[in-house]
Amino acid sequence: MTEKNDNLERWTVSEVLEAMSKPGYPEYIVKAVEQIQLWMKEGLDPSVQSGDPFHADYDRLYYQLDWLRNHVTFLGEDGQGAPSEAIVVSLDPGDQDEAMRMAVDHVAIFSDGECNRVWILSDSWLPGEIFRYRRHLEILKARGVAFHFLLITPEGWTEIPLYGENQGGPLGWQRGATGVTGNEGPKGKEGNK
């Protein structure tokens, strides 16, 4: 007979349901995505725009995201921040190759083996730019580095798997779980509950 363990946490049904409904992403990533979405919506709002309707104020966005340095290394800027995680914000399809290269270089060359998770936040998905780095991503994954590509629109976002346990197709994307907030988030540091 096993002894009763009185140190077990007690959960109510509502707490369990609430934990299940929240995505498994760190709060700072969700907050950054929401800020980018708000920035996108403001850029599309004719009452807020001044001059060129297709002009995007990237400097304003990066200034608003400066608080992320408390949680991650912000690549493309000065590269300072938390050594175990990095983030790349790529909001121009022409910059996606550079964003992927920057992320791979940071982990493979500049982080001294300290970085174990990279977030790529983008408003576009260009498979050719991503597939070019597939071997790099697989090797770095084998070394314990997780890459997360979040596709963001003004109305929602999801994670696009860059590799999968079941190699079914180029991306290994066999799960049907996508959605506005992505229900299957990464595990680990401030991840799933």
Side-chain angles (χ1 to χ4, degrees):
M1 184 169 172
T2 60
E3 293 181 17
K4 182 180 176 187
N5 185 352
D6 291 327
N7 293 329
L8 293 176
E9 288 186 50
R10 294 180 189 259
W11 290 69
T12 65
V13 172
S14 64
E15 289 172 330
V16 171
L17 292 174
E18 182 181 345
M20 289 171 55
S21 69
K22 290 183 179 176
Y25 295 90
E27 287 183 32
Y28 52 87
I29 293 299
V30 175
K31 182 179 175 185
V33 167
E34 289 170 350
Q35 277 189 284
I36 292 170
Q37 287 180 306
L38 180 62
W39 175 82
M40 289 174 164
K41 287 179 183 177
E42 288 173 353
L44 296 172
D45 184 355
S47 65
V48 177
Q49 295 173 355
S50 60
D52 184 4
F54 296 106
H55 174 72
D57 189 354
Y58 294 105
D59 291 335
R60 187 173 131 248
L61 174 66
Y62 293 132
Y63 177 76
Q64 291 174 344
L65 293 173
D66 194 56
W67 61 269
L68 272 170
R69 295 176 200 280
N70 296 329
H71 304 282
V72 297
T73 299
F74 203 121
L75 301 181
E77 297 292 313
D78 56 15
Q80 296 179 354
S84 65
E85 294 197 44
I87 192 168
V88 179
V89 177
S90 172
L91 299 174
D92 183 346
D95 292 338
Q96 200 161 87
D97 178 65
E98 183 179 347
M100 290 300 296
R101 181 187 46 77
M102 198 181 315
V104 168
D105 285 353
H106 174 74
V107 174
I109 301 170
F110 302 115
S111 75
D112 294 327
E114 293 184 37
C115 186
N116 57 24
R117 189 157 63 173
V118 178
W119 302 93
I120 301 164
L121 308 184
S122 183
D123 65 347
S124 56
W125 167 248
L126 301 173
E129 303 296 336
I130 307 301
F131 292 149
R132 184 173 305 161
Y133 294 94
R134 181 171 180 140
R135 288 189 55 217
H136 299 81
L137 297 177
E138 289 172 349
I139 290 169
L140 292 170
K141 179 184 178 197
R143 293 181 186 169
V145 180
F147 283 82
H148 300 281
F149 191 100
L150 303 183
L151 179 62
I152 304 168
T153 72
E155 300 303 324
W157 62 278
T158 191
E159 180 171 1
I160 297 180
L162 299 177
Y163 34 61
E165 302 302 320
N166 303 329
Q167 294 299 324
L171 291 176
W173 192 354
Q174 293 185 358
R175 295 185 302 267
T178 60
V180 174
T181 57
N183 294 325
E184 294 185 30
K187 296 179 180 164
K189 188 177 176 183
E190 295 184 41
N192 289 349
K193 292 187 178 186

